[in-house]
Amino acid sequence: MNHAQTRFSSSSSGVSASMTTTAQQSADRGNAISMNPTLGASRHWRDVFWLGIFVLHLILVGFALGIVGLNWFRKKDRLNIDQYTNRFLENQTGLTEDYWPLYAISGAISTVIGWIWLLLLGSRSNQMMKVSVHILTTYLAVVSVLCFWGKLVFWGVAFAIGSGLHFLYIISVIDRLPFTMLVLQRAVKMVWKLPEIMRIVCAFMLVMLLWLALWSFGASGVVASSIGDGGRWWLLVVFSVSLFWTGAVLCNTVHVIVSGMVFLVLIHGGREAASMPRNPLLQSLKYAVTTSFGSICYGSLFTAAIRTLRWEIRGFRSKIGNNECLLCCVDFLFHLVETLVRFFNKYAYVQIAVYGKSFNHSARDAWELFQSTGVEALIAYDCSGAVLLMGMILGGLITGTCAVVLTRIENPDREMMMGSTAILMGMILVGLAMVVVESAVTSIYICYVEDPLLIHRWDPEFFNQMSETLHQRLQHRSARVRDGLSQSQYIDRDRIQETITV
């Protein structure tokens, strides 16, 4: 009982202390940030080992993709590879060019979808975000029914489970969506006032399309090969993991560039402010692809998977109820994931952009800053990252559906291979278009915790809404601790009575 009382008192004092500390230190932090040269400072190379691993991976995978695609390009077994895989040959071989154009069409479709999403987010942000949230469950359910109709039981079950989990997640966070929409709308407002950011996105989408040209060439060779289904699936999984990492690195590079730019705009009070550094976007780009690139490669391996797992566990945890056994197991997973979040969170990229720290150092600093000020409660309440992920998944599913339809016309036995890899391509390209919004969201939170007056100067109404929501979340957290104290006292009293009776 003493432990529970201590926990409650420390939590209550932490809530009040965090609010007062934020208010008292805002001016000092603002002065410190303004005096910091940020993007103009000389920097050291960080996480060089992971930079080397990523570059080596690109060379090896690129070479393998070229060899596999070339072996079945215009001539079957051009490089005579089948002599090494005779015992695995089970299918009638095809040609790389039978499938490569389908990947090209899929890439074009996903690029168009990405830009449509970005344009509509600028003009119809509220409606588009609601579409992302609500239509994905329906789309997954429809695809599941079509898979069962086509006797693809495994994929039908997979999409049905995905639809059910997504529906449960939406139910668990439905009360958070108004605040989430508010944050996303302000982020879109910020991004659309910086047209140079859009040029960066175009450039990186072009780079991604060039890599996808090589990747799809090799993937087409795998699909066209005479290797058995098991061998082809394993090769596609290996190439897909490589594509996921490469896409995540490019997305997070854009994330670092945009975060640095947005951070500077908020600090200096506008893009046209006299105190703005010269060529801030070029400086941010230079550091992102040189000294900080190793940190981006390192963080890109784990951040997305851990974030997705955290969202799912949070949503499931809030709907468990009074099942003590299940709650104990989920709490264990929750605390494990929360520990991992300290070392792998998307807010690290803002610290990388502004201060040039290593990834783990940036992640720990950002998370400790959020927890020391109580803003972590606000971040946990916000679902903007999940909403944007829903848009990415929906874009990928639309791309994959188009690929399946096109493949079914000529090669119905290879439709799922084409569809699954096209889904990944679509998610990466749509994600590249939408990452600018997520970068603005993370920068807004970092600026709010560093110096709330920066947000107040930019948008007073938004600042008031953020502060009010933060106050409500801290009160809610304090009430939960108080309920835990009452329950602990009740249990202790029962134990004392049982001991006296015995």
Side-chain angles (χ1 to χ4, degrees):
M1 186 166 64
N2 291 334
H3 173 70
Q5 288 176 337
T6 304
R7 184 179 60 182
F8 172 68
S9 60
S10 62
S11 174
S12 301
S13 60
V15 169
S16 58
S18 64
M19 298 293 290
T20 55
T21 300
T22 301
Q24 291 172 353
Q25 295 181 350
S26 62
D28 295 336
R29 283 177 180 163
N31 293 333
I33 295 170
S34 300
M35 294 173 63
N36 194 304
T38 59
L39 298 178
S42 60
R43 301 189 182 191
H44 301 289
W45 288 77
R46 305 291 185 182
D47 297 312
V48 179
F49 172 78
W50 292 101
L51 171 60
I53 292 294
F54 179 73
V55 172
L56 180 63
H57 139 267
L58 283 184
I59 294 172
L60 293 177
V61 171
F63 179 77
L65 289 168
I67 292 296
V68 173
L70 187 61
N71 190 58
W72 286 279
F73 183 68
R74 294 188 177 180
K75 181 181 177 181
K76 297 180 180 181
D77 199 23
R78 175 190 294 272
L79 302 178
N80 202 21
I81 292 179
D82 281 351
Q83 64 176 324
Y84 304 107
T85 58
N86 281 330
R87 58 177 177 165
F88 302 109
L89 302 181
E90 300 177 10
N91 293 290
Q92 181 66 32
T93 186
L95 293 173
T96 299
E97 57 265 30
D98 294 339
Y99 305 97
W100 200 21
L102 301 181
Y103 276 120
I105 295 173
S106 300
I109 291 172
S110 53
T111 302
V112 170
I113 291 173
W115 279 109
I116 289 175
W117 275 102
L118 197 58
L119 291 172
L120 291 178
L121 278 176
S123 57
R124 298 286 187 272
S125 57
N126 198 33
Q127 292 85 345
M128 290 306 298
M129 292 165 197
K130 288 181 179 178
V131 167
S132 299
V133 170
H134 297 295
I135 203 174
L136 182 57
T137 301
T138 305
Y139 198 94
L140 286 168
V142 170
V143 172
S144 174
V145 171
L146 292 176
C147 287
F148 282 120
W149 181 59
K151 298 181 179 180
L152 300 169
V153 178
F154 172 79
W155 293 102
V157 171
F159 283 115
I161 292 174
S163 177
L165 290 175
H166 183 261
F167 178 75
L168 291 175
Y169 177 77
I170 293 301
I171 294 299
S172 67
V173 301
I174 195 72
D175 58 321
R176 307 181 191 179
L177 292 181
F179 177 72
T180 298
M181 297 303 177
L182 173 68
V183 174
L184 287 172
Q185 286 171 2
R186 293 304 192 276
V188 170
K189 172 186 172 183
M190 166 67 73
V191 168
W192 275 93
K193 290 185 177 180
L194 301 171
E196 58 267 46
I197 287 177
M198 300 304 171
R199 293 194 287 270
I200 286 291
V201 175
C202 289
F204 273 82
M205 288 190 75
L206 178 60
V207 171
M208 190 69 241
L209 285 171
L210 292 175
W211 177 254
L212 280 175
L214 174 60
W215 186 91
S216 59
F217 181 71
S220 299
V222 173
V223 175
S225 69
S226 54
I227 303 174
D229 286 346
R232 285 187 298 164
W233 273 112
W234 275 111
L235 279 174
L236 286 176
V237 166
V238 171
F239 288 152
S240 295
V241 170
S242 168
L243 180 62
F244 175 81
W245 190 17
T246 306
V249 167
L250 288 180
C251 285
N252 289 326
T253 303
V254 175
H255 190 356
V256 168
I257 296 169
V258 175
S259 297
M261 186 68 185
V262 171
F263 196 88
L264 286 178
V265 169
L266 290 174
I267 287 173
H268 295 279
R271 178 67 183 86
E272 304 301 328
S275 58
M276 275 287 289
R278 187 177 181 182
N279 297 326
L281 190 65
L282 291 178
Q283 291 182 18
S284 184
L285 173 63
K286 181 182 73 173
Y287 289 125
V289 298
T290 54
T291 55
S292 297
F293 195 64
S295 299
I296 295 171
C297 297
Y298 173 48
S300 300
L301 266 176
F302 310 103
T303 307
I306 292 173
R307 284 169 54 200
T308 304
L309 184 61
R310 185 175 185 244
W311 292 330
E312 293 295 339
I313 290 178
R314 277 187 178 275
F316 186 60
R317 185 171 178 256
S318 65
K319 294 298 177 182
I320 288 177
N322 296 322
N323 190 326
E324 293 294 335
C325 180
L326 186 58
L327 183 61
C328 181
C329 295
V330 172
D331 271 344
F332 172 76
L333 292 175
F334 177 76
H335 290 302
L336 178 62
V337 172
E338 288 293 303
T339 301
L340 291 174
V341 167
R342 293 175 182 269
F343 298 94
F344 300 99
N345 62 74
K346 62 182 179 179
Y347 302 96
Y349 296 111
V350 184
Q351 296 269 338
I352 290 171
V354 178
Y355 304 113
K357 303 175 183 177
S358 66
F359 184 86
N360 283 145
H361 190 185
S362 299
R364 286 195 301 268
D365 286 354
W367 205 248
E368 288 173 2
L369 190 60
F370 285 138
Q371 290 196 317
S372 65
T373 56
V375 177
E376 189 272 336
L378 190 63
I379 292 173
Y381 187 70
D382 179 23
C383 302
S384 56
V387 171
L388 293 174
L389 178 63
M390 292 172 199
M392 290 170 52
I393 294 175
L394 183 59
L397 286 174
I398 293 172
T399 304
T401 304
C402 295
V404 167
V405 171
L406 294 173
T407 308
R408 191 178 183 86
I409 297 173
E410 296 289 339
N411 301 283
D413 58 324
R414 318 262 171 120
E415 58 186 6
M416 294 315 298
M417 289 186 179
M418 290 294 299
S420 57
T421 48
I423 287 174
L424 181 60
M425 288 176 55
M427 288 180 60
I428 289 173
L429 286 169
V430 173
L432 262 175
M434 299 178 69
V435 72
V436 293
V437 180
E438 187 172 20
S439 302
V441 171
T442 55
S443 299
I444 286 171
Y445 278 119
I446 289 288
C447 285
Y448 183 77
V449 74
E450 290 274 7
D451 182 5
L453 294 179
L454 297 176
I455 305 299
H456 184 272
R457 182 173 58 187
W458 171 57
D459 192 330
E461 182 182 356
F462 179 53
F463 168 81
N464 291 334
Q465 290 170 318
M466 284 187 72
S467 300
E468 181 181 354
T469 305
L470 175 59
H471 182 64
Q472 292 173 355
R473 297 315 302 167
L474 291 175
Q475 284 185 326
H476 175 72
R477 177 175 290 184
S478 179
R480 287 181 61 184
V481 175
R482 191 182 304 114
D483 292 340
L485 171 63
S486 301
Q487 185 178 6
S488 177
Q489 290 174 333
Y490 180 77
I491 293 172
D492 287 345
R493 187 171 63 249
D494 285 350
R495 287 176 179 173
I496 292 171
Q497 289 176 350
E498 289 176 2
T499 303
I500 294 173
T501 302
V502 173

